[in-house]
């Protein structure tokens, strides 16, 4: 089974190919370019370096959200176009699930935190049981204070991953009561290899869709939509 993985849900752009539990290639960039500039050139480079025939892949796994609205739209449009052109199914991998998969095999709770602005994070809580990712708390948008309160009640050691760490690490250090760690570089940001690996598991379970049916998971309205509603409420 050969899976193409793509993630543009956050600050990181990442493309990977996983074949039968072997990482063939991964190209990940965490820099100040828009994903529309990087995603397809990265895919072209991966295909060129590995002599990959895109027709040979079985499915395309994509980090479906939540995350950056612009990044999710770029990822969705790219994957839909590829899936349609290649006639390949799409596996929608929830962003927080994919991030948690970076820490495969740990005995601790994995807590992804993505900065959602306004003191909110996109987050969830996960564990691994017999090598399989299990959801303790499904991904959602919530205040960082609400999240830490939940984790304190959970009472287990937590490993944090995600781009929310630099934003909220001081708050976490001051308020969490459980033992915790911040994942190191290489594990603490989105990786297309994790999206592809988890996507392969989901694909084997029959959890895939046609490219035309793929839609991003936003969880909440965009900033522009919220500001428009606030303006309309003021005018009303």
């Amino acid at each position: 089974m050969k899976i193409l993985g793509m993630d543009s849900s956050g600050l990181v752009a990442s493309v990977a190919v996983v074949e039968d539990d072997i990482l063939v290639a991964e190209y990940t960039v965490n820099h100040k370019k828009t994903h529309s500039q990087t995603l397809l050139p990265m895919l072209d480079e991966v295909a060129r370096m590995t002599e990959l025939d895109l027709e040979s892949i079985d499915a395309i796994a994509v980090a479906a959200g939540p995350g950056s609205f612009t990044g999710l739209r770029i990822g969705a449009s790219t994957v839909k176009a590829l899936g349609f052109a290649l006639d390949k199914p799409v596996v929608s991998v929830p962003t927080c699930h994919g991030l948690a998969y970076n820490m495969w095999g740990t005995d601790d709770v994995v807590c992804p935190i993505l900065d959602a602005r306004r003191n909110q994070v996109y987050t969830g809580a996960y564990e691994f049981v017999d090598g399989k990712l299990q959801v303790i708390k499904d991904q959602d948008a919530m205040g960082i204070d609400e999240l830490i309160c939940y984790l304190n009640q959970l009472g287990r050691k937590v490993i944090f991953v995600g781009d929310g760490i630099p934003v909220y690490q001081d708050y976490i250090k001051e308020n969490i009561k459980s033992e915790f760690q911040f994942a190191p570089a290489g594990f603490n940001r989105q990786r297309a290899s994790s999206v592809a690996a988890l996507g392969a598991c989901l694909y084997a379970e029959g959890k895939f869709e046609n490219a035309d049916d793929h839609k991003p998971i936003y969880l909440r309205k965009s900033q522009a939509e919220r500001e428009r509603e606030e303006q309309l409420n003021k005018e009303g």
Side-chain angles (χ1 to χ4, degrees), residues 11-24:
L11 299 175
V12 171
S14 187
V15 176
V17 177
V18 170
E19 183 175 6
D20 297 331
D21 294 326
I22 296 174
L23 176 59
V24 178

Side-chain angles (χ1 to χ4, degrees), residues 43-225:
L43 174 58
D44 288 342
E45 183 68 8
V46 165
R48 184 184 68 81
M49 291 292 290
T50 62
E51 300 180 346
L52 172 67
D53 178 5
L54 290 175
E55 295 283 353
S56 69
I57 65 174
D58 294 293
I60 306 168
V62 60
S68 159
F69 284 79
T70 301
L72 291 176
R73 289 179 182 127
I74 291 170
S77 61
T78 302
V79 166
K80 286 168 76 73
L82 283 172
F84 180 78
L86 299 171
D87 192 24
K88 302 296 181 179
V90 172
V91 183
S92 293
V93 178
T95 297
C96 290
H97 292 42
L99 255 173
Y101 212 73
N102 287 0
M103 304 306 301
W104 186 92
T106 182
D107 293 327
D108 303 320
V109 173
V110 183
C111 181
I113 50 172
L114 299 172
D115 184 20
R117 309 290 178 86
R118 298 187 175 189
N119 290 320
Q120 285 201 323
V121 290
Y122 297 121
T123 187
Y126 304 83
E127 64 181 345
F128 290 91
V129 178
D130 296 328
K132 293 184 178 181
L133 183 71
Q134 302 292 324
V135 178
I136 302 173
K137 183 177 181 59
D138 204 1
Q139 61 177 20
D140 199 359
M142 66 175 64
I144 186 65
D145 52 346
E146 182 182 354
L147 172 63
I148 298 305
C149 181
Y150 168 79
L151 294 174
N152 285 338
Q153 292 175 349
L154 200 60
R156 293 176 59 183
K157 183 179 177 181
V158 180
I159 300 177
F160 290 98
V161 296
D163 62 31
I165 292 175
V167 181
Y168 296 109
Q169 62 180 343
D170 289 342
Y171 182 89
I172 292 170
K173 290 176 181 178
E174 291 172 3
N175 293 277
I176 195 166
K177 298 176 182 177
S178 304
E179 188 178 355
F180 71 94
Q181 287 182 315
F182 296 121
F187 300 92
N188 62 18
R189 294 294 187 273
Q190 286 96 322
R191 294 189 61 178
S193 55
S194 291
V195 172
L198 182 53
C201 298
L202 296 174
Y203 179 80
E205 296 171 3
K207 297 177 180 178
F208 53 83
E209 59 194 353
N210 294 324
D212 287 344
D213 295 329
H214 172 68
K215 294 180 180 179
I217 304 169
Y218 292 119
L219 287 186
R220 70 176 194 178
K221 297 176 181 178
S222 69
Q223 181 176 348
E225 290 172 316

